[in-house]
Amino acid sequence: MPRTSKIAENPPFAVEQALKRLGDNIRTARLRRKLRLEDVAERMGISRFTLSDVEKGKPTTAVAAYLGALWALGLLDQLEEVADPDRDEEGKILERSRAPRVARTRKALDNDF
Amino acid sequence: MPRTSKIAENPPFAVEQALKRLGDNIRTARLRRKLRLEDVAERMGISRFTLSDVEKGKPTTAVAAYLGALWALGLLDQLEEVADPDRDEEGKILERSRAPRVARTRKALDNDF
DNA sequence: CTTATATGTTGCATTAAAGAAACATGCCAA
DNA sequence: TTGGCATGTTTCTTTAATGCAACATATAAG
């Protein structure tokens, strides 16, 4: 992503760590399955170089490459709970403490399909 | 990411859905906290436009923008378990079923620091 | 040792991601 | 209705992410 954003160029430690762990986990999962970079990359429709970037936790790589790797390894469902509103206790409390409504409500909160 | 990869241009259904849900969850968390796009974007060091892309689940946006949004909202720790090798039952089984080692083992599996 | 294979590295061309400014739209409240 | 504010949209410029080829390195096996 040209005009590299600050967060991608120099991410907070926590983000950098999370990315490295995620990439390393993806690598571990791939090796356990005895797959080459090229095997997984081909399934995803990307090059082995970009998949290697994913496994290194490169911050500027497209999010679809990361999720695609999880998908190709059968690990995508583990992402379902991340930022799940039902588990966002702090958010729920904040929402209740304010009176009725919050900010812009959007048409129907985009429940696509 | 120019030379747009297939997975970012036309992601598998599951990936597209996961991205939309993740973006929507981030949006919900932000609204619950009564924060504007600009507020969160400023904390992250990106523009409100890119954060808006995140909330839309844009596949080509840098992964750091997504994780940064989770970080800025205090939701990053929920990512720890994703692709955690300890929870990768299929991978563990595969690893045990093959005899000793798998593919290239890397110097020390990159346990940096 | 040698060979085979997987991955890392370098350099280049392509092209779209990110930022910004200006304007449009939509929502809420008084 | 009106005004104010958050967000969406358009257009443009900048510049780095992606893919690829060629070569280097590392690991495992014979």
Side-chain angles (χ1 to χ4, degrees):
Chain A
M1 28 47 85
R3 199 148 252 175
T4 304
S5 54
K6 189 178 114 191
I7 202 159
E9 210 176 33
N10 190 14
F13 277 128
V15 170
E16 197 175 6
Q17 265 196 315
L19 274 171
K20 286 200 177 175
R21 184 176 45 232
L22 181 57
D24 217 61
N25 289 351
I26 288 171
R27 182 183 182 88
T28 300
R30 175 180 64 81
L31 291 177
R32 276 179 170 168
R33 288 162 178 74
K34 249 185 156 24
L35 299 169
R36 297 172 306 159
L37 283 174
E38 227 182 278
D39 298 325
V40 180
E42 190 181 13
R43 287 189 200 176
M44 299 167 56
I46 68 174
S47 71
R48 69 180 174 95
F49 307 101
T50 302
L51 181 56
S52 172
D53 286 340
V54 167
E55 294 190 349
K56 287 175 190 160
K58 192 180 174 196
T60 53
T61 295
V63 67
Y66 280 80
L67 297 213
L70 293 175
W71 168 77
L73 294 168
L75 298 171
L76 186 58
D77 51 341
Q78 298 185 10
L79 220 115
E80 295 216 4
E81 295 173 2
V82 174
D84 184 350
D86 294 340
R87 291 172 183 265
D88 180 14
E89 298 303 331
E90 186 190 342
K92 283 197 283 191
I93 291 169
L94 284 172
E95 189 170 52
R96 259 173 282 151
S97 70
R98 332 257 184 199
R101 262 292 135 69
V102 181
R104 269 182 133 213
T105 325
R106 263 215 157 177
K107 291 188 178 177
L109 237 166
D110 232 3
N111 264 348
D112 37 69
F113 78 135
Chain B
M1 31 43 88
R3 197 149 252 176
T4 303
S5 54
K6 190 179 114 189
I7 202 159
E9 210 177 34
N10 190 13
F13 218 54
V15 170
E16 196 176 8
Q17 266 196 316
L19 274 171
K20 287 200 175 175
R21 184 176 44 231
L22 181 57
D24 218 61
N25 289 352
I26 288 171
R27 182 184 182 90
T28 300
R30 176 179 63 82
L31 291 177
R32 276 179 170 170
R33 288 161 177 73
K34 248 184 156 26
L35 299 169
R36 297 172 305 159
L37 283 174
E38 227 182 281
D39 298 326
V40 179
E42 190 182 15
R43 287 189 200 177
M44 298 167 57
I46 68 173
S47 71
R48 68 180 173 95
F49 306 103
T50 302
L51 181 55
S52 172
D53 287 339
V54 167
E55 294 190 348
K56 287 175 191 160
K58 193 179 173 197
T60 53
T61 295
V63 67
Y66 280 79
L67 297 213
L70 293 174
W71 168 76
L73 294 168
L75 297 171
L76 186 58
D77 51 340
Q78 299 185 10
L79 219 113
E80 295 217 4
E81 295 174 2
V82 174
D84 183 352
D86 294 340
R87 291 173 182 266
D88 180 15
E89 298 303 331
E90 188 190 342
K92 283 197 284 191
I93 292 169
L94 284 172
E95 190 169 52
R96 258 174 283 152
S97 71
R98 332 256 183 198
R101 258 297 131 66
V102 181
R104 270 185 135 215
T105 327
R106 262 215 158 179
K107 291 188 179 178
L109 236 166
D110 233 3
N111 265 348
D112 34 67
F113 74 114

